Amino acid sequence: MNGHPLAYLDSAATTQKPIQVLDAVDDFYRTKNSNVHRGAYALSAEATDAYEGARAKVASFINAGGPDEVVFSRGATTSLNHIAYGWGLNRLSEGDRVVLTIMEHHANVVPWQLVARHTGIELVYLTLDDHYEVDLSGLADLLDERVKVIAFSGMSNVTGTLGPARTLVEAARSVGALVVVDGAQLVPHAPMDVQDLDADFLVFSGHKMLGPTGIGAMWGKPERLEEMEPAEGGGEMIADVGLYESRWAPVPHKFEAGTPPIAQAVGLGAAVDYLQKVGMEAVRDHEHEITGYALKRLADVPDLTVYGPTDPTHRGGAVSFSLADIHAHDIATVLDEHGIAVRAGHHCAKPLLRHLHVPATARASFYLYNTLDEVDRLIDGLLDARRVFGLDA
Ligand code: C6P
């Protein structure tokens, strides 16, 4: 890239794909391509088996009670919209509260705002403290029967802050509220056990965990999925259709309207196989090492501010920073000239950036294929940015 080997430090945006995933998608299209749950012929049965097999793999990856607890969707965003519309719109009303955190991605803010427009519910935010941890000091005062949902990110895509899942699940239970965990940045990076997590819903995206784009999942507790209405209607999701009323197919199919992303699901299944073979503990430990090394080396770059917790074992591998008053896009441009890919901007987390009083940050994010050498190259690139923008003059 620009005359250098690519150092891809943007896995929080999307990850690279192993050959096993590419092969699985290719093999599906070459040998099994047909629609699922429809054709009364062998090829369609094979496609259906591959699609449902992928569901079973994803269910086992997060230790779900069974494959029917996993709904395939386009990704975390679509899953959160399903929950907000399918559950929130039908079950929330004026005076009810949804508690979010200031570090939420827009995907866990805007759908609730849309529900608020229709229902008059109130959105309430927990902020971050000076250590970039979710500030829980006001939580106890917030908790009353008005709180119906607590929805939070398992790991911030900007600061790497971990959502305090245990505390928030306990808090929600104490007032009978639902828990929605945005696992877009969590599920790809650490072992996940939904039975241990004990939330009501968990969402994530396949493309952030070595899988294809266009596929993701919503896990839900069986009773929640039963009581939830579909947010989309159409083929595949019905048991019967009359002129004025319809009945839904059983869970999870009632949430999968239309032809699903079949090859993408198969690719996600292969990604899950790959991650399980590596082992999620190993993935997590590797990222702790890289993130720890990055934080240590970034601390030595003059005029550089990191926005996020300092302990690499209690945070994710998304590391946002600014360098003096150089615009984040300019930093990314200089790094790009060194073959280093980082993201710059508001990272679809504008409330958080406002809270941090910065218009944009540069962000390096790591995954299992990144190396310490790439971190060294990042540091060299940042030192070059200092020279380019005259900070060393
Ligand atoms: N964050 C990033 O560069 P989708 O786009 O549906 O796959 O994922 C949405 C999403 C939801 N929650 C969190 C915490 C996220 O980080 C993301 C996606 C990307 O940080 C793209 S903005």
Side-chain angles (χ1 to χ4, degrees):
M1 197 58 62
N2 291 325
H4 302 271
L6 171 68
Y8 186 75
L9 305 184
D10 197 18
S11 289
T14 196
T15 59
Q16 299 298 329
K17 322 299 176 198
I19 196 84
Q20 290 84 341
V21 170
L22 305 184
D23 284 348
V25 174
D26 182 73
D27 176 68
F28 175 82
Y29 279 127
R30 283 177 193 276
T31 68
K32 298 191 183 66
N33 184 49
S34 54
N35 214 325
V36 292
H37 305 134
R38 287 184 193 181
Y41 50 89
L43 193 65
S44 173
E46 280 185 33
T48 304
D49 285 350
Y51 181 68
E52 292 302 329
R55 194 194 306 278
K57 287 178 186 186
V58 172
S60 136
F61 185 67
I62 58 172
N63 197 30
D68 290 353
E69 296 176 10
V70 172
V71 176
F72 279 134
S73 70
R74 257 194 312 124
T77 302
T78 311
S79 297
L80 287 165
N81 277 277
H82 272 307
I83 297 164
Y85 279 115
W87 196 91
L89 204 53
N90 293 292
R91 296 191 161 253
L92 299 175
S93 51
E94 191 159 358
D96 289 343
R97 288 177 150 188
V98 171
V99 175
L100 304 165
T101 82
I102 201 81
M103 69 177 184
E104 296 316 305
H105 186 278
H106 297 166
N108 198 26
V109 175
V110 182
W112 297 112
Q113 291 175 345
L114 291 169
V115 169
R117 265 199 206 168
H118 290 290
T119 58
I121 61 166
E122 193 187 345
L123 306 185
V124 184
Y125 288 87
L126 300 171
T127 61
L128 293 193
D129 64 21
D130 292 345
H131 306 287
Y132 303 97
E133 304 289 351
V134 176
D135 186 351
L136 296 167
S137 58
L139 181 63
D141 289 342
L142 253 183
L143 292 175
D144 59 30
E145 72 290 345
R146 286 175 299 175
V147 174
K148 295 292 191 288
V149 177
I150 300 184
F152 62 95
S153 174
M155 191 185 285
S156 161
N157 64 323
V158 178
T159 57
T161 303
L162 300 176
R166 294 232 174 271
T167 308
L168 292 180
V169 168
E170 239 172 65
R173 297 292 169 247
S174 74
V175 289
L178 226 73
V179 178
V180 179
V181 179
D182 173 0
Q185 300 292 350
L186 183 63
V187 173
H189 301 285
M192 171 53 68
D193 179 338
V194 286
Q195 299 188 44
D196 182 53
L197 179 69
D198 197 30
D200 294 277
F201 292 104
L202 170 76
V203 306
F204 49 100
S205 297
H207 70 97
K208 293 189 197 293
M209 47 188 285
L210 307 178
T213 52
I215 183 75
M218 167 179 75
W219 168 84
K221 277 195 170 154
E223 57 271 32
R224 294 288 165 251
L225 293 174
E226 284 302 331
E227 72 192 21
M228 185 164 138
E229 288 289 311
E232 290 179 349
E236 304 251 353
M237 52 76 71
I238 49 83
D240 190 22
V241 176
L243 285 181
Y244 305 106
E245 290 288 336
S246 298
R247 286 185 300 107
W248 314 141
V251 171
H253 305 291
K254 79 171 176 180
F255 301 112
E256 295 179 1
T259 298
I262 310 165
Q264 291 85 341
V266 170
L268 177 57
V272 161
D273 284 344
Y274 188 97
L275 287 169
Q276 278 183 324
K277 212 164 164 192
V278 174
M280 289 308 291
E281 279 90 1
V283 171
R284 181 194 54 201
D285 293 349
H286 177 72
E287 282 184 46
H288 283 169
E289 187 192 355
I290 300 259
T291 308
Y293 184 65
L295 292 173
K296 190 162 118 312
R297 294 239 39 212
L298 286 167
D300 290 336
V301 177
D303 307 313
L304 189 138
T305 307
V306 171
Y307 303 95
T310 50
D311 179 351
T313 63
H314 284 101
R315 54 160 295 149
V319 181
S320 284
F321 54 88
S322 59
L323 181 53
D325 58 358
I326 307 173
H327 195 280
H329 286 114
D330 292 331
I331 297 175
T333 302
V334 173
L335 292 174
D336 185 39
E337 283 163 9
H338 291 256
I340 301 161
V342 300
R343 188 172 173 189
H346 54 66
H347 314 296
C348 302
K350 282 198 157 196
L352 174 57
L353 278 260
R354 278 198 197 99
H355 175 76
L356 298 174
H357 302 294
V358 280
T361 72
R363 182 192 68 188
S365 54
F366 308 112
Y367 208 20
L368 72 173
Y369 36 66
N370 290 122
T371 63
L372 299 180
D373 177 56
E374 289 171 329
V375 175
D376 289 336
R377 288 179 53 201
L378 170 68
I379 302 300
D380 291 345
L382 290 170
L383 294 176
D384 189 41
R386 285 183 55 83
R387 281 188 291 276
V388 170
F389 288 94
L391 292 179
D392 291 333

